[in-house]
Amino acid sequence: MTPDAFDPHNHQDCIADGLAAAERHCAREGLQFTPIRRRVLEILLGDHTALGAYDILDRLRKDGLNAQPPMAYRALDFLVMHGFAHRIERLNAFIACSHLHGDHTPAFLICRTCQRVVETDTDPAAGELGRAARQAGFVIERTVREAEGLCPACAEAA
Ligand SMILES: [Zn+2]
Ligand SMILES: [Zn+2]
Ligand SMILES: [Zn+2]
């Protein structure tokens, strides 16, 4: 597991590890890790904040690419589909996955002041929701867990 976004850490390692893990995964699964997909993941890894599709498009254009919205959306779809990134519904934005190993059910802690997001892992079958679902004979396939609040740094400043 990569360090917590709220803790100080060597962020260059985060970026390098994230890209290397995605490269390995794509090579193993025979997926095309095109330059644009790689660049979008790198942009997402560049910050522990969630970025909207248009923020990503801006960065691509700053790279000198004549990027159009469908290009950014297709790259994001690919990254989300293969688990390299997640969509934060609350913010309508995307974040690089920080648990690059296998299936997991992410939950997000979103700082409303600095917009940093920490990804944690939860099991939807555990806890109260899981119990309620079992009682109802319901099979949970997907849950959205997003908590909004203050990170330690912003809580201290407040
Ligand atoms: Zn980092
Ligand atoms: Zn993840
Ligand atoms: Zn914060």
Side-chain angles (χ1 to χ4, degrees), residues 67-91:
Q68 300 302 316
M71 211 169 141
Y73 280 113
R74 277 199 302 265
L76 285 165
D77 279 350
F78 173 87
L79 295 174
V80 169
M81 190 193 308
H82 296 288
F84 304 136
H86 299 296
R87 186 165 178 276
I88 311 265
E89 321 247 335
R90 177 87 186 78
L91 304 174

Side-chain angles (χ1 to χ4, degrees), residues 86 97 99 104-108 119-122 143-146:
H86 299 296
C97 177
H99 299 76
H104 60 283
T105 304
F108 302 99
E119 177 180 347
T120 65
D121 208 350
T122 58
T143 57
V144 176
R145 295 192 179 192
E146 300 179 353

Side-chain angles (χ1 to χ4, degrees), residues 21-32 78 82 84:
E23 261 161 24
R24 281 196 304 274
H25 181 92
C26 287
R28 206 168 49 230
E29 307 283 321
L31 302 169
Q32 294 258 349
F78 173 87
H82 296 288
F84 304 136

Side-chain angles (χ1 to χ4, degrees), residues 24 42-43 46 61 70 75 78 85 98 124 137 143 149 153:
R24 281 196 304 274
E42 190 180 30
I43 291 167
R61 286 177 176 157
F78 173 87
S98 54
T143 57

